[in-house]
Structure formats: structure tokens, C-alpha cells
Amino acid sequence: MKDTSRKLAKFLYKKNVICNANNENTNYNKIVRALDSFSNMHTMSNKDFLEKILMGAFKLIPEAEKGSFYELVDDKYIPIVSNGYDINTLQKLVFNREEAFADYKCSDIASIQAYEIYIEERDNTKFSEEIINTLKELGIYSKYTCLYAPIQVEGLTRGLICFECFNKTGFTKTSKKILRFYAQIISNFYTQKVLYEKERKIYNEIVDALVSAIEVNDKYTEGHAQRVRQYSCNIAEKFQLSKSQISDLSTAALLHDIGKIGISTEILNKPGKLTVDEYNIIKSHPIYTKRILEKISGFSTIANFAYNHHENYDGTGYPQGLKYDEIPFESQIIQVADAYDAMTSERAYRKALSSHEALKIIKKEIGKQFNPKIAKVAMETFSQI
Ligand SMILES: [Fe+2]
Ligand SMILES: [Fe+2]
């Protein structure tokens, strides 16, 4: 993202939209700084993202006194963020698409432009009395200049960025050029964010479908995957893992038993004791988990965390018999969360243990089945649940 913003700023520099790249306070540096602040846009809330868009533009348009960002949702323009206006008053201005900015040009257009309009007085035949009063209260009923630009995704307007200047001089040509380029760049970022959110939605739907597939096969594990995920995330929070580590751990915990799809329902739901052969078949489920998850692009880390959820700290686990630091830390968290939930849930062959009994077993297994550091934090976490 940083490279992109620098390239774009250089492009603007060449186009004479901005000048003197070496001076800290030039538009070049202001644009680079404004665009750099979008580097983590995928993890921002929508409101934070729109606030960054608006505030970034404010730094580039010196004549702007007030401004706001309207998002177009279900054919209605809704003010989401503003600078200089009381947001509660501004939010009374929710318009239908066709009536919104009756005197403005902001329909879907091929190229993104910045427009300037001087409003001597609003046409009061176009608005209700309530809207006129709100416009007057906000000071945008008459005698001001607005500089605005649509933000588009694939040629369709998704929002409108507006700046008001109450001084007769209005906006300079440079400000218009800068807003035009800024709106084009932001439309690009906005498109990326929309696509990323679509991808994320599909990803979550795939994960949910996989979890339901395990539960169809094994009636005793209903809700198990979600609880193991919740416990794992609660434990992980105490170890200050990064957001992306927690995200991978969360998905791995949710899908750790997906390989049980490959085990016959009769064995999974057998009420009595398992034979050695049957137990060995059950023990192959982490291998199936790995095979399934590895097929999904971008899941190799998640597949590895889930694959190792039956490894024991002292090397007596399966499928690889890894020990100590050889076992990924995230897998060790899933392992203790999985063990606690398995013990406190009813199974085909036994009744559920109480939380107290399960905690006693975890304590006994510290240093054997469980990593002492993780087990200690896990026990605190479980006793608070
Ligand atoms: Fe398992
Ligand atoms: Fe499990």
C-alpha cells in the first residue's frame, strides 16, 4: 500500500497537481501521508475508514471549512462522518438518491470528477419544510460553495465526499485537481475494501459449511467446534498474540476436527469401548484435517495448527509424536481447549465431567499432556467461564 501511495503521489507530481516533493509541507508529502494511513484499511471499521477518507482530504484542501461523507446505501444518501457539523443534526438529512443533491452532479458516471457548485439559495420547492429547516440550521441553505466528488466502485457511485467553503472566493483550481485525483485513488481503495469484505463473507460461509459437515457426521460434537474456538481465543488473548495469529488460531480451532468427515459414523458414535483398530482409525482424523484444509488456498498455516491438535507436550501424542517447542504454540492452545470441552461434554461412551473434575485432570497432566504455561492460563480461563 505504501508503494502504491508513493507511486500515485509521484504521478500527481508529474502532472503538476502537486509540486516540490522535497519540502515536508508540500501537497506531495501531504498526499503520501494521507494515503499511507490506509495501509491497514482491511482491519478498520467502515466508519473509521470513511473518517480517514474525509480527514485525509481535509488536509489537502485548505479552503475546506466543513465537510462530510455520505454513503449511498439502498438508494439513500446517508451522512456517516463529518467535520464541522453536528452529526446528529446532519443525520436528519437522509435523502433518496434522486432528491439527495438535487442541484449537484453526482450520478453514476464513467470517470470520477471533482465538481464545484455555488449555492445562492436552495430551491425550496424540492425539499420538505423539515429538510429546509435542517439545512438552515447547518448553514448549508444559501450562500456557500461546495466542492464534492463521487466515490465509485465499478462505475457505480457508493458515496459522496463534500466540502463547504463559506468564503466568497471558493476553491482553487489546484484543490479541484487534487480532490479529483484523491477521489479516484479512494475509489480504488473503496473497491478493494468491498472486494475484501465479499471474500471474507465467502470465507466465513465456507468455514461454517465445513463445521456443519462435521456435526452431521458426529452428533456428539454439536457446538464443540465453536466452544473450542471460543476457549482457544480466550486463552490466546492472554498471550498477546497478533491479530493475524489469533485469526488463524480461531479458524484452526473451529476446523480442528474437520478430518472426522473421513471416519465412519458407526465408529464415531459407538456407545461402547473402541477396539484398538477402531481407536487407530479415529487417530487418523488430524491427517484428514490437514489434507482437507491444505486444499484451500491461504490455509497452510491453519492446516498445520489443526493437524497438531492431538500432539502432547511430552511427545506421547499423535500423529507425529512431536514434543515441547516442536508443537506449534497455537496447536498447544487448541489442544487444551479441545481436551477441556471433550471432558465437560457428554460422549457416546461416557457422561460429561464437571468443570471441577476436568480442571483436576488438566492440573495432573501439566508437563505431560499439556504445556505448563498454557495449562495455567487455560485453567484460569476455564474457571472464569
Ligand atoms: Fe480431534
Ligand atoms: Fe476436538
Side-chain angles (χ1 to χ4, degrees), residues 1 34-57 69 71 80-81 151-153 158-159 161 182-197:
M1 190 70 72
L35 299 180
D36 276 352
S37 71
F38 287 96
S39 58
N40 62 340
M41 67 175 185
H42 293 323
T43 55
M44 282 180 209
S45 70
N46 192 45
K47 189 168 173 262
D48 287 349
F49 176 62
L50 300 182
E51 205 148 67
K52 275 226 180 319
I53 292 178
L54 183 69
M55 297 318 289
F69 191 99
E71 207 167 28
I80 308 287
V81 289
I151 300 298
Q152 296 187 346
V153 173
R158 295 290 293 251
I161 185 164
Y182 186 75
Q184 287 171 345
I185 295 161
I186 291 304
S187 291
N188 218 303
F189 286 172
Y190 204 99
T191 306
Q192 283 181 36
K193 193 159 166 70
V194 167
L195 293 178
Y196 176 81
E197 272 152 23

Side-chain angles (χ1 to χ4, degrees), residues 157-192:
T157 298
R158 295 290 293 251
L160 203 63
I161 185 164
C162 305
F163 295 104
E164 284 81 31
C165 167
F166 303 93
N167 186 320
K168 274 202 169 152
T169 51
F171 295 88
T172 61
K173 267 190 175 174
T174 308
S175 288
K176 271 180 242 172
K177 275 188 188 175
I178 287 180
L179 183 62
R180 179 180 151 214
F181 282 109
Y182 186 75
Q184 287 171 345
I185 295 161
I186 291 304
S187 291
N188 218 303
F189 286 172
Y190 204 99
T191 306
Q192 283 181 36

Side-chain angles (χ1 to χ4, degrees), residues 295-356:
K295 291 206 162 50
I296 306 174
S297 71
F299 266 54
S300 60
T301 306
I302 292 166
N304 190 42
F305 293 163
Y307 176 50
N308 292 301
H309 77 274
H310 281 293
E311 297 293 350
N312 288 341
Y313 188 67
D314 62 4
T316 58
Y318 60 89
Q320 301 185 88
L322 301 179
K323 60 173 149 180
Y324 310 135
D325 290 348
E326 288 170 357
I327 313 166
F329 192 72
E330 288 83 348
S331 305
Q332 298 186 53
I333 292 179
I334 299 171
Q335 182 226 19
V336 70
D338 183 37
Y340 176 79
D341 189 66
M343 286 190 277
T344 54
S345 307
E346 194 179 321
R347 284 287 185 267
Y349 46 91
R350 62 152 173 80
K351 290 237 175 301
L353 301 184
S354 69
S355 173
H356 180 70

